[in-house]
Amino acid sequence: TNPTNMKSAVFVALLALAAAAPRPDSSLESAELVHDERAQEGASYSTNVEIDNGISIAESGDDDGVQGTYQFTAPNGEIVVLTLVANAGGAQFESPSGHLPVAPLPVQAIHPIPQHALEAIALAAQQRSAGVEWNQQGFVLDK
């Protein structure tokens, strides 16, 4: 594992939270820290922070990875919750509150594959199994 990459992922998540946080106008008072608990021992750490404007961060990490939950209030008043799990396998963000984009469902083909295309695919598979190779332009490579 590379703790620097994981710390970078955490930093980006915190930066996104800071950028998305509501900006107080001159008529509002500044936010106050309600809870701040942090601990670190070697590569292991934990952070629990809560601010009275609805921002909260609960995060912990060690040599194996980082996991955390981040919550804030969007400008439209919705509560946004993000979770992060980052380890040697990569980083995965989820949003229990449904604020991350979701890929669309696969589209079913409305037409069958034409017979000539199926024949060309079968011919290519037969040639490939016979040892024929092609370059990126589609020309047969001489052996």
Side-chain angles (χ1 to χ4, degrees):
T1 63
N2 186 346
T4 303
N5 286 343
M6 286 184 248
K7 289 181 182 177
S8 296
V10 170
F11 176 74
V12 169
L14 292 175
L15 186 61
L17 281 173
R23 305 281 189 252
D25 60 24
S26 59
S27 66
L28 298 175
E29 296 181 25
S30 63
E32 292 187 28
L33 190 63
V34 175
H35 181 79
D36 186 4
E37 181 182 338
R38 305 170 196 219
Q40 181 169 2
E41 187 173 322
S44 299
Y45 73 95
S46 66
T47 301
N48 288 301
V49 175
E50 185 180 345
I51 303 172
D52 69 355
N53 64 359
I55 296 175
S56 67
I57 301 168
E59 179 181 283
S60 62
D62 55 27
D63 287 332
D64 295 325
V66 175
Q67 50 278 330
T69 302
Y70 314 90
Q71 179 176 313
F72 61 93
T73 304
N76 64 0
E78 290 183 298
I79 303 295
V80 178
V81 179
L82 300 174
T83 60
L84 163 71
V85 175
N87 54 33
Q92 182 176 3
F93 287 92
E94 293 181 358
S95 179
S97 59
H99 287 88
L100 290 179
V102 177
L105 296 173
V107 177
Q108 294 294 327
I110 58 173
H111 300 289
I113 298 174
Q115 186 59 37
H116 71 277
L118 293 172
E119 292 168 1
I121 293 168
L123 176 62
Q126 180 185 13
Q127 290 174 337
R128 193 172 293 115
S129 66
V132 176
E133 294 181 7
W134 296 269
N135 65 14
Q136 290 185 352
Q137 285 79 34
F139 296 104
V140 174
L141 297 174
D142 293 326
K143 292 189 179 194

